Amino acid sequence: QVQLVESGGGLVQAGGSLRLSCAASGSIFMINDMGWYRQPPGKQRELVAAITSGGSTNYAASVKGRFTISRDNVKNTMYLHMNSLKPEDTAVYYCNAEVRSSPWRVNNYWGQGTQVTVSS
């Protein structure tokens, strides 16, 4: 089994910054793609940013230029640096990772989510 533990969420004023972390633990052979998703109140989950094991990234248009996704493959940890936060960034942010736990098994995992609230 693999666990994803998120941290770093909280309350921040508009224009502020926040860094989210996602630490993977358990039976990990390697982690393939990772990504951050968010779900605003009353809306569907959406992809915020994704990063491959090699470091290639892509971003939702709404966050491009403000957010930066990164990962530390030694620590099995992914980060989301959020700058110039807006009230519309308010959401539960979820970590997602495709994890190979053995040469014969690969699964997709989700973190429990961390609340980010941006006040105006």
Side-chain angles (χ1 to χ4, degrees):
Q1 186 66 272
V2 172
Q3 298 81 41
L4 302 179
V5 179
E6 303 167 6
S7 61
L11 177 64
V12 65
Q13 292 183 327
S17 299
L18 210 59
R19 187 186 75 166
L20 305 183
S21 299
C22 171
S25 62
S27 183
I28 301 174
F29 184 75
M30 68 176 67
I31 303 178
N32 297 324
D33 294 349
M34 303 184 77
W36 287 98
Y37 292 74
R38 69 185 182 187
Q39 186 167 16
K43 298 182 179 181
Q44 71 272 32
R45 183 184 63 189
E46 64 180 359
L47 176 68
V48 177
I51 185 168
T52 69
S53 61
S56 298
T57 62
N58 68 80
Y59 298 88
S62 59
V63 307
K64 191 173 184 179
R66 298 188 298 120
F67 292 9
T68 302
I69 188 171
S70 62
R71 62 190 288 172
D72 186 327
N73 291 331
V74 175
K75 297 180 179 179
N76 288 329
T77 301
M78 177 180 64
Y79 306 94
L80 185 67
H81 297 260
M82 303 183 292
N83 300 313
S84 301
L85 283 163
K86 305 174 181 179
E88 51 262 45
D89 294 319
T90 295
V92 178
Y93 284 71
Y94 296 93
C95 173
N96 178 263
E98 183 183 78
V99 180
R100 180 170 293 281
S101 57
S102 72
W104 59 89
R105 186 181 302 275
V106 61
N107 292 99
N108 196 265
Y109 295 91
W110 290 94
Q112 81 287 350
T114 184
Q115 177 70 47
V116 172
T117 302
V118 184
S119 62
S120 60

